[in-house]
Amino acid sequence: MNHADDDETEDFANEDFDTDGEDGEGRDPAAPTGTSLVAIVGRPNVGKSTLFNRLVGSRKAIVEDRPGVTRDRLYGAVNHGGHSYLLVDTGGLDLDDGTGLMRHIRAQAEIAIDAADLILFVVDAAEGISSDDREIAEMLRRSGRPLLVVANKVDNPSREVDAQQMHELGLGEVLAISAAHGRNTGELHEAVLSRLALTAPAGSIVPVPEGIRIAFMGRPNAGKSSLINALMNEPRVIVDAEAGTTRDPIDLPFVFNKQQLVLIDTAGLRRRKQIDRAMEKLAAIKAVRTMERTQIVVLVLDATAGVTDQDQRIARMAHERGKGVVAVLNKWDLVARDKKAAHAVWVQAEEELAFLERPFMIKTSIVGEGRDLGQGHARGLDELLEACLHTARALGRRIPTADLNAELKAAVAEHSPPMFGPKPVKLLFATQAESDPPLIVISANHGRCLTPAYERYLLRRIRTRWNLRGVPVRLVVRGRGKGNHERPSA
């Protein structure tokens, strides 16, 4: 297995989590124009994700020495020799297994094959040709797509002979490489570029364009992937009853009300003691790190279970990291029939998430045939995206200094700050020092002189006045500095 860096593992060990592992227009990351798409295809455990990581130059894909690790389509940009193209990793194909999760994996791979300008058919030179390889070769031959057979795990010259056996597949040239050690990958780069009609200048491809980044997070099987498929109107990510279907975070460009968004599906997070596989721990690290690079966290809750301790931990982690949070009570159709029970679920959610300061709480459900494939009847999705946009605006809001000081003056007039020991407290001036999230700095005649209760009072007024729902507004009180003597007191 390719392990995460030691510091990544240490960061994860300090978290309370592990993994289980439109209205509008959406499009797949394969859609960027002006370049070619190359798909990596093969049976399970031949080294496809290792090759993907090698070619894109990063550990985007989770790698472990067991089949079935990659499930959804994962995209990355390859830069080599002044050229760039788009690469997609796919799940391992087992054509004999047409049920359950494998059926979904095959569907995702077939979508990538249909869109590809070139297919890298990866086989294991150390094991030789298997019956699965022959079946996949026939499927790829029928697709009519240009092919390059990549014999992987040729770790030394003695295995070159093993690689040549792959000519028996009848698919033309065979290139022997070792993705794990980088052997002959330069030749692979050149072979790919020679077969592509259209490439872009190196560094010019952005598989995920700019936009408001919205990460769907929550416990396993809360419905994160189903919601994203419903938004995309297609089975873009795999949904299965087996917990832990999502492993790699999947970034999906999306447009809603003319706003550029990036929807991010993540692995379900659960308590560390429930996890014993290194692969799933790495998936959790990736999910937590996804939170670091997003703006809005959609906390997907299973309405039938209510808000659990783990849901609270995820919400608190997002809040403490300065992210806006929108709560989603998913599967609402399953509780809505009993109005008394539904009301109890809503009240419990409000109480358990009160520390988020009145986040938007949206009821969603996806019903009907094909609900996991983006084909069911969805409710609440427009409202959900509108809440995300509102929260993103609140997160980046800049409050005019004059307005902020007027509100501070009104707050003090209605409720004076408590004494600081034997001394009265005067609040002199307020300004917003930062946004994303907002940071309010108040100058006072004494440093850090406000009680926690009074700070909460001021924050509630600020949040209410500027409708900063679900946004972690920070407040700092500092002593009067050199430039504050002439400031008017509130």
Side-chain angles (χ1 to χ4, degrees), residues 14 74 93 113 116 123 128 132 154 177 187 195 208 223 237 255 260 276 306 310 324 398 440-442:
N14 292 328
L74 184 64
L93 291 171
I113 291 168
V123 291
D132 287 340
V154 181
I177 71 159
E187 289 82 348
R195 287 164 169 76
V208 180
V237 290
V255 178
Q260 294 287 341
D276 56 6
Q310 185 67 352
R398 298 293 309 192
I440 308 300
V441 178
I442 296 178

Side-chain angles (χ1 to χ4, degrees), residues 12 45 49 67 69 98 131 134 209 213 265 267 287 295 303 316 328 330 332 388 391 402 416 419 461 463 466 485:
F12 174 72
N45 213 30
S49 294
V69 174
S131 59
R134 296 185 189 279
R213 301 184 65 81
D265 191 22
Q295 293 153 279
R316 198 173 297 280
V328 171
N330 195 31
W332 187 255
C388 290
T391 304
S416 298
M419 299 283 285
R461 290 191 63 115
R463 285 195 180 93
W466 283 281
H485 294 289

Side-chain angles (χ1 to χ4, degrees), residues 391-404:
T391 304
R393 288 192 295 269
L395 197 66
R397 188 182 301 280
R398 298 293 309 192
I399 303 173
T401 300
D403 294 346
L404 189 57

Side-chain angles (χ1 to χ4, degrees), residues 211-218 228 251 259-266 287-300 314-315 317-319 321-328 356 359-360 362 383-397 436-438 468-472:
I212 299 171
R213 301 184 65 81
I214 303 172
F216 286 66
M217 305 193 77
I228 286 181
D251 295 358
Q259 285 275 348
Q260 294 287 341
L261 310 177
V262 180
L263 310 181
I264 308 173
D265 191 22
T266 65
V288 171
R289 287 190 175 273
T290 294
M291 184 182 288
E292 300 288 356
R293 61 186 178 88
T294 195
Q295 293 153 279
I296 306 299
V297 170
V298 173
L299 177 64
V300 182
I314 297 170
M317 181 173 69
H319 192 70
R321 282 163 171 74
K323 311 303 177 183
V325 179
V326 174
V328 171
L356 294 176
F360 286 95
I362 312 299
E383 189 180 357
L384 167 58
L385 292 179
E386 287 164 0
C388 290
L389 292 179
H390 184 284
T391 304
R393 288 192 295 269
L395 197 66
R397 188 182 301 280
D436 291 310
L468 305 179
R469 298 182 60 180
V471 171

Side-chain angles (χ1 to χ4, degrees), residues 114-287:
D114 289 341
D117 299 292
L118 175 67
I119 295 170
L120 301 183
F121 178 27
V122 182
V123 291
D124 187 335
E127 291 187 3
I129 299 175
S130 70
S131 59
D132 287 340
D133 290 327
R134 296 185 189 279
E135 290 185 37
I136 295 170
E138 182 58 33
M139 182 187 76
L140 295 178
R141 188 181 290 109
R142 290 195 303 268
S143 75
R145 299 296 182 191
L147 283 166
L148 177 60
V149 179
V150 179
N152 192 27
K153 305 184 184 180
V154 181
D155 302 327
N156 53 66
S158 65
R159 283 196 174 168
E160 293 281 354
V161 176
D162 298 329
Q164 296 313 307
Q165 297 176 8
M166 301 303 166
H167 284 288
E168 295 179 18
L169 294 170
L171 297 176
E173 183 182 357
V174 175
L175 188 58
I177 71 159
S178 171
H181 299 98
R183 188 169 185 268
N184 291 341
T185 51
E187 289 82 348
L188 176 58
H189 278 299
E190 297 300 329
V192 170
L193 290 174
S194 70
R195 287 164 169 76
L196 297 181
L198 192 61
T199 60
S204 63
I205 297 179
V206 181
V208 180
E210 294 297 318
I212 299 171
R213 301 184 65 81
I214 303 172
F216 286 66
M217 305 193 77
R219 292 180 295 109
N221 284 342
K224 301 179 294 298
S225 298
S226 294
L227 286 173
I228 286 181
N229 283 343
L231 286 166
M232 302 296 293
N233 285 322
E234 63 166 309
R236 180 55 188 85
V237 290
I238 292 174
V239 180
D240 193 81
E242 176 188 335
T245 300
T246 301
R247 294 282 171 78
D248 295 290
I250 307 296
D251 295 358
L252 302 168
F254 191 81
V255 178
F256 177 74
N257 287 348
K258 299 182 179 180
Q259 285 275 348
Q260 294 287 341
L261 310 177
V262 180
L263 310 181
I264 308 173
D265 191 22
T266 65
L269 293 169
R270 61 180 179 181
R271 297 300 298 272
R272 183 183 300 111
K273 66 183 181 181
Q274 296 174 295
I275 298 302
D276 56 6
R277 295 207 61 87
M279 175 187 65
E280 293 182 336
K281 290 182 180 180
L282 182 54
I285 292 171
K286 286 177 175 283

Side-chain angles (χ1 to χ4, degrees), residues 8 14 41 60 65 83 132 169 187 207 394 404 429 462 471:
E8 288 181 326
N14 292 328
V41 176
K60 284 192 69 175
D65 189 20
H83 299 274
D132 287 340
L169 294 170
E187 289 82 348
L404 189 57
F429 189 75
I462 292 170
V471 171

